[in-house]
Amino acid sequence: MKNSSAIRVALNGTVASLIFASSAAYAASVPAGTLIENTATASFDTGGPTQSINSNTVTIRVDELLDVAVASKDASAITISGSAVLSFTVTNTGNGPEAFVLTADPAVAGNGFNSTVDSLAIDTNNNGVYDAGIDTLVANGGNSPLINPDTPLTVFVLVSSPGAADGSTSQVNLLAQAVTGTGAPGTVFPGAGEGGGAAVVGNSGADDAARGSLISSAVSVSLVKTATVSDPFGGSQPVPGARIRFQIVANATGSGSINNLKISDAIPASTTYVANSLTLDSTPLTDLADSDAGVASAAGVVVTLGTTSAGATRTVTFDVKVN
Amino acid sequence: MLLVRFHIFSLACSLALASAPAFAQEPIELKGDVKVVRIAEQGGKRVETYAEPTQVVPGDRLKFTTSYRNGSGQAVQNFVITNPLPKAVVLTEVGNFEVSVDGGKSFGKLASRTVAIPEGGTRAATVADVEQVRWTVASIAPGASGSVTYFASVR
């Protein structure tokens, strides 16, 4: 729609041309099917009273322009661990109601990982947020509802993660193509326009695409176990009667948090758990199953850490005696 | 008066160039025509051509032409052609005509026109404010003809 960029000189040479990009200056285009009627009137004297005449009226019907703009609504990359929702706007920048074929492609060059497109959804209740069970699902490659000119429609792309490494990024491309047809600007579909006129492909090619970004969020937990032996003679030999302190360091790395983290360890054979020796982050825990996080018995120890954020380090120690 | 003389001059020029439109035998005739402006490549250059408006979409530029002919045996004086712009189009450039931005109450060159703004006061009018265009031909000799033109794009 950005035609007429050529410089023209108006008939009146004293005035520079005032050409500007035509339709971009207006919020809304004339609807397809509108009739443009032009009539001129002339008044004149031939010696008597002033007379006037009308010209014939020339009439043009405005055809349908097929144009669309797609944009990502997400201000930044959407964090994905299991699944995520990408938001886009699809705006009919043409001048007639039109439906668009919506296709989400999760395989974009440069992706660190490719997500899986589970479905598309239309923001049926128009609140800008995906509401499962309320917003209408559309299969990938399916049609949008009819979109009125200059009315943005929010489209959600529901994706799930393959379990990518933390911080890995991915893009998903959403393509919208006019159902009536696409092609080079100026391509004409006779009789296919709103109101029975032609449909004409606009500058967008009657299709447009935009990308939404994902960043994978994953937490991994490393456990490092060390043992320190103190024998009854002041040395560090694992002789009978020696005390062994086991230390387990749990380190959560990545981003986000992990749920239901529980550290358990069995008491090694030929050793005996030293009652009430269990600690978490240097704080003693009772052996009983009670309000604190730890439980210990002759069989082993269990420390329930629950939800643990990335970056956290928890240290568990317990002592055994060599039999 | 300077303004009027200017119009006489420019219309006299276009008189010589205008192809003779076919008119019915009315004493004074006024005939409207519209073409759509297309940009074509000719010899590596972009040139404007004027096509029949069989397909018109928003953004297209239209050439509205009104031809006149004095078929009477006497001179016509103070020939004033007034053309309200259809609401679906917007003037794209000024020309050898006066404009009205107040529904036809007053006319003048675009540069002399102002429009009220909601905050109070006025601003200079732009082509988008033009509602009517008007040409004045001081005199048309018997048998003489000519045409006037404005360009507008589909909103």
Side-chain angles (χ1 to χ4, degrees):
Chain A
M1 287 163 66
K2 300 174 204 79
N3 57 0
S4 101
S5 58
I7 302 299
R8 298 184 66 263
V9 179
L11 272 174
N12 186 339
T14 59
V15 181
S17 60
L18 276 171
I19 297 173
F20 49 89
S22 50
S23 57
Y26 309 106
S29 296
V30 176
T34 299
L35 296 180
I36 298 176
E37 298 180 308
N38 191 65
T39 310
T41 304
S43 67
F44 55 92
D45 303 328
T46 53
T50 298
Q51 305 171 53
S52 81
I53 53 171
N54 287 339
S55 74
N56 56 311
T57 298
V58 291
T59 304
I60 305 174
R61 181 178 57 193
V62 177
D63 291 309
E64 182 173 354
L65 191 64
L66 301 172
D67 259 329
V68 63
V70 180
S72 170
K73 283 184 84 173
D74 301 322
S76 55
I78 298 295
T79 301
I80 183 167
S81 50
S83 63
V85 177
L86 294 167
S87 304
F88 295 85
T89 52
V90 176
T91 306
N92 176 358
T93 50
N95 67 340
E98 181 71 22
F100 296 88
V101 180
L102 302 173
T103 309
D105 180 4
V108 173
N111 273 357
F113 67 96
N114 289 341
S115 61
T116 302
V117 174
D118 299 320
S119 183
L120 310 181
I122 305 299
D123 188 16
T124 311
N125 60 1
N126 208 25
N127 67 350
V129 178
Y130 173 63
D131 299 303
I134 296 171
D135 290 335
T136 306
L137 295 177
V138 174
N140 193 10
N143 289 358
S144 78
L146 280 177
I147 306 177
N148 284 321
D150 298 307
T151 308
L153 179 74
T154 299
V155 174
F156 302 110
V157 178
L158 315 182
V159 293
S160 53
S161 167
D166 184 65
S168 184
T169 59
S170 178
Q171 289 191 311
V172 177
N173 190 68
L174 180 65
L175 171 68
Q177 299 165 294
V179 166
T180 300
T182 61
T187 302
V188 176
F189 300 100
E194 184 72 11
V200 182
V201 174
N203 275 7
S204 68
D207 61 18
D208 194 27
R211 291 174 179 177
S213 295
L214 296 166
I215 182 163
S216 178
S217 169
V219 183
S220 54
V221 177
S222 62
L223 294 177
V224 177
K225 184 176 181 181
T226 54
T228 308
V229 181
S230 312
D231 64 37
F233 316 108
S236 57
Q237 296 303 312
V239 295
R243 190 168 171 138
I244 304 174
R245 170 158 295 177
F246 290 109
Q247 182 184 58
I248 300 167
V249 177
N251 195 12
T253 57
S255 63
S257 61
I258 195 163
N259 296 327
N260 302 322
L261 179 62
K262 187 185 281 188
I263 297 173
S264 51
D265 200 9
I267 304 302
S270 305
T271 67
T272 304
Y273 173 67
V274 177
N276 295 316
S277 66
L278 183 62
T279 70
L280 171 62
D281 299 333
S282 305
T283 302
L285 301 176
T286 62
D287 293 345
L288 297 172
D290 52 18
S291 60
D292 70 33
V295 179
S297 67
V301 299
V302 177
V303 178
T304 302
L305 298 173
T307 300
T308 304
S309 298
T313 299
R314 311 301 299 270
T315 303
V316 172
T317 66
F318 64 94
D319 295 357
V320 297
K321 265 192 172 164
V322 178
N323 295 344
Chain B
M1 288 313 292
L2 190 67
L3 201 61
V4 173
R5 254 188 245 121
F6 175 80
H7 283 299
I8 294 166
F9 174 73
S10 61
L11 283 164
C13 285
S14 62
L15 270 177
L17 297 170
S19 59
F23 284 103
Q25 288 306 306
E26 300 284 337
I28 311 293
E29 291 153 20
L30 202 60
K31 186 171 181 294
D33 186 37
V34 62
K35 294 281 192 288
V36 60
V37 180
R38 303 289 186 209
I39 306 296
E41 296 275 341
Q42 281 183 12
K45 289 181 178 174
R46 288 160 62 88
V47 295
E48 287 190 350
T49 61
Y50 305 112
E52 289 302 321
T54 50
Q55 269 145 24
V56 172
V57 293
D60 277 345
R61 208 157 133 259
L62 301 173
K63 179 189 186 187
F64 290 96
T65 302
T66 301
S67 305
Y68 55 86
R69 182 174 183 274
N70 181 1
S72 71
Q74 54 190 320
V76 167
Q77 312 291 334
N78 301 323
F79 195 74
V80 178
I81 303 168
T82 306
N83 196 152
L85 268 59
K87 285 195 174 4
V89 304
V90 60
L91 192 69
T92 53
E93 63 230 54
V94 295
N96 63 335
F97 47 75
E98 296 177 303
V99 302
S100 174
V101 297
D102 57 8
K105 291 193 195 74
S106 65
F107 283 85
K109 284 292 174 186
L110 179 63
S112 70
R113 303 291 95 187
T114 58
V115 291
I117 55 176
E119 297 78 25
T122 60
R123 61 167 172 82
T126 70
V127 284
D129 298 313
V130 173
E131 296 170 349
Q132 300 192 12
V133 295
R134 186 175 84 175
W135 299 263
T136 302
V137 184
S139 176
I140 309 173
S145 62
S147 67
V148 294
T149 294
Y150 76 91
F151 288 90
S153 67
V154 180
R155 289 182 193 267

